[in-house]
Amino acid sequence: MWTQSVLSSNVSEIGYEPETKELYVTWTRGKRSIYSGVPEELARDVANAPSVGSILNAEVKPYYGHRYG
């Protein structure tokens, strides 16, 4: 698993587990969202995006299953 701190008003860290293809989003308020089936390339795009929230809303949330963890 890799993790990366990000500069965002709502997200503090992005993590990714290649074996399970799970994207971990740690929100600044402490909750953690886990998105299933996310390709690693997209996870890296999210982690390096100028606007993490924008890419999450456009490319992740509408297409991948979500749970809190």
Side-chain angles (χ1 to χ4, degrees):
M1 179 173 181
W2 58 261
T3 60
Q4 181 175 322
S5 295
V6 295
L7 292 174
S8 170
S9 58
N10 293 312
V11 178
S12 61
E13 186 177 76
I14 297 294
Y16 187 75
E17 178 54 62
E19 289 183 17
T20 59
K21 295 187 177 183
E22 290 181 322
L23 174 68
Y24 296 83
V25 179
T26 304
W27 304 97
T28 56
R29 295 187 182 248
K31 278 191 174 181
R32 178 187 253 189
S33 293
I34 303 168
Y35 295 91
S36 302
V38 178
E40 186 165 7
E41 183 178 337
L42 178 54
R44 293 198 182 278
D45 289 346
V46 171
N48 295 309
S51 175
V52 174
S54 292
I55 195 167
L56 281 172
N57 288 331
E59 302 294 331
V60 176
K61 288 181 179 183
Y63 305 107
Y64 299 96
H66 170 268
R67 71 183 190 277
Y68 288 108

